[in-house]
Amino acid sequence: MRSTPSLASLLSCLALTLASAGCPAPTDPTPDGGTDAGTDAGVPPDVTGQLDMLSLTNAGEVRRPVDLSTAAPKALVEDGGTFVTHEGVGKADGTFVIPNVPVGPYYLRFDPTTYVVTDAREVKLSTNTSIGRPEAATQPADISGATIVFNLDNLHPYQSTDGLTLYSTNLNVARFRLTPSATAGATSGTFTYTVRTGQPLIDPAQGDRVILTQLTSRTAPLEGSGETLSYRSVSRSFEAPEFQSKPGETQTISGTMAEPPSLTAPLHWDMAAFRNLAPAIHPRASVAAQVMIVDAQPMPHTYGTISPIPLLVEIGQPPTVDELRTTLTYANPYPASWMPVGTTETSFAVTYQLPGTDTPAIIAGSASHSEQLPGFFSVKIAPEFGAVQQPRIEGMDAQQPVTLATTTPEVSWVAPPPVPGERYHYILFIHELSVEGSATVSQYVGSIRTNDTRARLPPGLLSLGRSYVFTFDVNTTPDNDILQQVFNLPIPISGVLSLSDIITVK
């Protein structure tokens, strides 16, 4: 899971599939002799590709081309500390070509802030990967929200810390806490769902169905200590009958919560091992939170984590122990084709304060691991590797304040010690620091994804007279090259995100 900038929350929902370099396109057969005609003629080969938007519905994938006629991807080739830009030409059907790109690595730019270092000649891009059918009707702003009141019985004895959630696997609809009207200990209650402006409207004619779940507050004793773990997990579910959301109207639906089969999972979480990464995240890093969730995801090995997704288990504030051992209880009412995935993340806070401000900006580092069940619970959950080592900017220690005389610096690092059977991939994030009133604030600027342990920042990411923070994300997806699925991070995945100090460009 990655996040602001953790693995779950900073990454946008995009996917990049890069075909093998040298594979000819079906419409451009390889000439006799088995080599690229442009290369034979002394002309560098083209980079070709296609961009579409991908939505996942109950019926499968829905792909729609992106109009590239006014904004095509570019290729930037590094040449002696500078870059040569090769402009692309795009079409309304989502296809593009970047002519005469020299053989070897180049920086693929398909929006002003995102670069991928690759040598692929054929590129297939899928952007805005999301759950739910596209182009659904939405709640208008000038009419009161469509409202559904659920009268439910057979609840697990209700507690104020419980949550009634609503989810549609065919529509991008998720509400993680319906408005409750239930007393403590009650087994029946009323829960209200009101559609907010701009949110999709449920339409059974389009195949939309709704599942409600009760996230019940539970406790479990910790082995080897007198501590108790508090967590929430699914205990009841209700598959609502067909209904259509109607703006300006209130409907009432009554039903009985079902009790799905109870499942258990042994949890052995080495919390101290994650916390001990703090000095490598940054010398000023402090532990901000340690969380764990289990959710249900469609084809996470292919698409990675897509938000929003329904929760099965949620541990938000575990006790501060070295090793957490217990047994969790939960239920899973979602389709059998959806895979339960466990994720743990430890987040670290680092403060940055510009001169003349009273309030610092806080930028987060993280260490996380996501894996499908039952593998997630089958072994002790601990970091597989640490942060990148010796991060450098123009040869200077990046975890100390640095002053640059260039807007296109070289950034380098050393890989963590190797993990058998896994390959490291890297994402370099850039954040700009600025002053708002009396506070230092941060804003995301851009990112570079690479398999190498160095990168040069292309023009346009940094500006003279500005201050920045770089974050170094090292991660591994054992069965997938991250450059094959650039923005969706397929499961399983582990990652550690460390931070620089303040980088000033003079």
Side-chain angles (χ1 to χ4, degrees):
M1 180 179 75
R2 301 284 174 155
S3 42
T4 53
S6 69
L7 188 60
S9 60
L10 258 182
L11 297 179
S12 54
C13 293
L14 298 165
L16 172 65
T17 304
L18 302 175
S20 299
C23 293
T27 56
D28 184 21
T30 303
D32 292 342
T35 58
D36 186 280
T39 302
D40 287 346
V43 177
D46 298 342
V47 171
T48 61
Q50 183 172 349
L51 178 64
D52 58 34
M53 292 184 289
L54 172 62
S55 300
L56 306 178
T57 72
N58 289 350
E61 293 183 354
V62 177
R63 294 180 179 271
R64 295 166 292 153
V66 174
D67 185 353
L68 297 178
S69 59
T70 60
K74 302 178 181 182
L76 283 73
V77 178
E78 191 175 355
D79 182 14
T82 62
F83 287 91
V84 177
T85 300
H86 298 259
E87 299 286 345
V89 178
K91 298 181 180 180
D93 64 0
T95 60
F96 66 90
V97 60
I98 309 175
N100 304 333
V101 179
V103 173
Y106 61 92
Y107 290 61
L108 176 66
R109 193 192 90 163
F110 50 91
D111 69 39
T113 65
T114 306
Y115 294 84
V116 183
V117 182
T118 180
D119 59 4
R121 298 290 111 182
E122 184 181 351
V123 180
K124 294 181 180 179
L125 298 149
S126 293
T127 183
N128 292 340
T129 304
S130 61
I131 293 175
R133 56 186 178 85
E135 301 176 349
T138 59
Q139 170 67 41
D142 58 348
I143 303 176
S144 60
T147 299
I148 312 296
V149 178
F150 294 97
N151 291 325
L152 302 173
D153 57 31
N154 196 38
L155 296 169
H156 188 282
Y158 185 77
Q159 304 169 69
S160 61
T161 50
D162 288 1
L164 261 289
T165 72
L166 178 148
Y167 195 81
S168 171
T169 59
N170 196 54
L171 194 63
N172 190 15
V173 168
R175 186 66 58 80
F176 294 110
R177 185 174 175 84
L178 303 187
T179 303
S181 178
T183 57
T187 57
S188 61
T190 298
F191 303 87
T192 303
Y193 168 60
T194 300
V195 182
R196 297 165 182 157
T197 299
Q199 291 185 332
L201 296 168
I202 295 164
D203 184 353
Q206 301 296 323
D208 302 340
R209 301 292 183 270
V210 168
I211 296 177
L212 278 69
T213 59
Q214 182 180 3
L215 282 174
T216 293
S217 301
R218 305 179 190 264
T219 59
L222 300 187
E223 298 178 17
S225 78
E227 300 271 6
T228 298
L229 172 69
S230 297
Y231 68 103
R232 300 197 307 171
S233 66
V234 171
S235 64
R236 299 286 195 275
S237 66
F238 173 62
E239 188 168 349
E242 293 184 2
F243 68 90
Q244 183 166 2
S245 301
K246 299 178 181 179
E249 296 186 18
T250 297
Q251 305 173 62
T252 299
I253 295 175
S254 298
T256 298
M257 299 288 281
E259 188 173 356
S262 181
L263 304 170
T264 59
L267 173 60
H268 184 186
W269 181 6
D270 192 343
M271 300 178 70
F274 284 96
R275 293 195 298 267
N276 290 341
L277 292 173
I281 300 297
H282 189 277
R284 292 197 305 274
S286 60
V287 177
Q290 293 189 278
V291 300
M292 196 210 79
I293 63 170
V294 177
D295 48 34
Q297 303 182 22
M299 299 181 68
H301 293 290
T302 300
Y303 302 111
T305 296
I306 303 171
S307 182
I309 43 181
L311 286 172
L312 302 177
V313 179
E314 178 184 52
I315 301 175
Q317 293 181 319
T320 303
V321 296
D322 287 345
E323 294 198 19
L324 191 155
R325 294 173 181 258
T326 192
T327 298
L328 305 175
T329 301
Y330 68 101
N332 182 6
Y334 294 100
S337 59
W338 285 43
M339 300 178 184
V341 172
T343 297
T344 181
E345 180 175 88
T346 298
S347 59
F348 303 87
V350 182
T351 59
Y352 298 89
Q353 191 163 355
L354 293 176
T357 62
D358 299 325
T359 305
I362 298 176
I363 301 179
S366 65
S368 60
H369 175 69
S370 295
E371 187 174 351
Q372 183 182 343
L373 273 57
F376 179 75
F377 288 118
S378 65
V379 296
K380 179 170 68 173
I381 302 168
E384 292 187 338
F385 50 87
V388 300
Q389 300 175 0
Q390 301 176 39
R392 296 286 186 267
I393 300 175
E394 288 289 290
M396 295 174 280
D397 184 355
Q399 292 195 321
Q400 298 294 324
V402 170
T403 299
L404 295 175
T406 175
T407 58
T408 57
E410 181 182 55
V411 184
S412 64
W413 54 91
V414 174
V419 176
E422 298 186 354
R423 180 184 180 188
Y424 292 125
H425 318 288
Y426 308 94
I427 309 175
L428 178 67
F429 294 101
I430 302 99
H431 305 262
E432 182 179 347
L433 299 177
S434 59
V435 176
E436 275 191 12
S438 61
T440 300
V441 297
S442 68
Q443 181 177 0
Y444 170 73
V445 172
S447 65
I448 301 173
R449 287 151 168 83
T450 181
N451 283 332
D452 202 355
T453 54
R454 52 87 58 194
R456 184 171 295 279
L457 269 61
L461 290 176
L462 304 186
S463 300
L464 292 173
R466 306 288 180 86
S467 296
Y468 300 89
V469 173
F470 296 176
T471 61
F472 300 82
D473 186 355
V474 53
N475 54 72
T476 177
T477 55
D479 300 325
N480 299 275
D481 184 337
I482 198 173
L483 296 183
Q484 299 290 325
Q485 295 286 338
V486 125
F487 288 102
N488 284 352
L489 302 171
I491 303 299
I493 183 169
S494 297
V496 179
L497 189 148
S498 55
L499 297 93
S500 75
D501 212 292
I502 296 178
I503 311 301
T504 302
V505 185
K506 292 293 188 179

